[in-house]
Amino acid sequence: MNNKELKKILLDNFGIKLSTLGFDEKAKWQSFVRAFHEGREVVHLSFITLTYDKGFDVTIDIAIRFENVEKLINWDSDLLTEKEKKGSYTIWTILRYLSRKRLCKYSIYSEKDIWSVVDSLFEDYCELWEPFFNKYRLIKNVHALFSDMNNKEAWRYSTTHSNRAKKSIAIAYLLNQANIEEQISGWLIFLRDKEELGINDFIAFSKRLNK
């Protein structure tokens, strides 16, 4: 059985387990989706082919998309296609960042490995990811995470400081927080201190919110 066939069996059986928690059973591009009232949550399986195509490693990464946040940030972006805008995510990470106790990566060489790996992946998900989703599907918790500029834990959940800054301010705007100007000023100081390349993009975004 080749890697393609093994991956299909793995995705099919992992999808069955995830469907018990409200995810779509069928994977699309190796991803399983669960909708919630403000957007969607995604569990994605990443595959790393081993030497000479004899087996592969598999691990989990996840993402949450808040529709209003992503639309507010990207609606006038010339850097993203319409498809990319619809596929952007507000917060994302990979499983090993949530687990310091073990390396959550598993190897599959043959069909007999699949069943134990499916069980291990689902166990990892229930222990680490489901609590993560439960916490961060509340948008105020994402703002609390991202707005803590010097919290290095937060740095793992967004691509750049300027990207995290935009998301933090976008959420503050959507929550009608009264101190947005103060937050923007704080981010500008932080981004200048870090010599962040995306600072001009953040400034442009902030000005657009004030129009």
Side-chain angles (χ1 to χ4, degrees):
M1 189 171 289
N2 60 36
N3 279 355
K4 183 177 180 180
E5 293 169 323
L6 292 173
K7 290 173 184 177
K8 185 180 185 307
I9 296 173
L10 176 66
L11 288 165
D12 287 348
N13 285 275
F14 188 56
I16 291 171
K17 285 186 173 289
L18 282 181
S19 69
T20 64
L21 299 175
F23 285 88
D24 294 341
E25 183 176 323
K26 296 297 183 182
K28 185 176 181 180
W29 302 110
Q30 300 169 207
S31 295
F32 302 90
V33 177
R34 179 171 65 186
F36 69 108
H37 67 288
E38 292 186 79
R40 64 180 182 267
E41 300 163 336
V42 174
V43 173
H44 176 81
L45 294 189
S46 294
F47 298 126
I48 305 166
T49 302
L50 302 177
T51 307
Y52 303 117
D53 201 36
K54 293 182 178 179
F56 56 91
D57 287 341
V58 58
T59 188
I60 293 176
D61 50 83
I62 62 98
I64 304 174
R65 175 183 172 89
F66 289 89
E67 289 291 340
N68 288 340
V69 174
E70 296 307 301
K71 287 178 180 178
L72 186 60
I73 292 173
N74 296 323
W75 74 270
D76 65 343
S77 174
D78 295 326
L79 301 177
L80 299 176
T81 66
E82 288 303 313
K83 182 178 180 180
E84 289 171 333
K85 289 177 183 179
K86 293 178 180 178
S88 63
Y89 288 91
T90 311
I91 180 171
W92 62 272
T93 189
I94 57 179
L95 186 61
R96 64 174 176 267
Y97 285 156
L98 285 184
S99 177
R100 294 183 176 87
K101 296 180 180 179
R102 61 183 186 271
L103 180 62
C104 301
K105 181 175 70 172
Y106 302 95
S107 299
I108 292 178
Y109 298 96
S110 67
E111 187 176 358
K112 66 180 177 62
D113 299 320
I114 289 176
W115 318 115
S116 62
V117 169
V118 166
D119 288 341
S120 295
L121 286 171
F122 190 65
E123 180 182 336
D124 288 343
Y125 173 81
C126 291
E127 179 181 341
L128 298 167
W129 282 139
E130 190 66 6
F132 182 90
F133 282 139
N134 288 339
K135 181 176 183 178
Y136 290 114
R137 75 167 60 97
L138 298 177
I139 198 169
K140 66 179 182 179
N141 290 339
V142 179
H143 181 264
L145 176 70
F146 282 171
S147 62
D148 188 355
M149 301 169 196
N150 292 303
N151 178 7
K152 293 187 177 180
E153 286 290 318
W155 299 7
R156 298 172 173 176
Y157 304 126
S158 190
T159 51
T160 63
H161 292 312
S162 59
N163 184 269
R164 184 163 52 95
K166 286 196 297 181
K167 292 174 180 178
S168 176
I169 296 303
I171 294 172
Y173 178 85
L174 292 169
L175 293 177
N176 294 313
Q177 294 185 353
N179 64 336
I180 291 180
E181 291 301 324
E182 180 182 337
Q183 292 184 49
I184 291 173
S185 297
W187 274 111
L188 285 172
I189 293 170
F190 177 83
L191 295 174
R192 288 186 179 119
D193 181 63
K194 296 295 182 183
E195 299 181 345
E196 179 73 16
L197 293 177
I199 189 170
N200 289 333
D201 187 38
F202 174 74
I203 291 172
F205 172 71
S206 300
K207 287 181 177 179
R208 178 159 59 79
L209 288 183
N210 289 325
K211 289 182 179 180

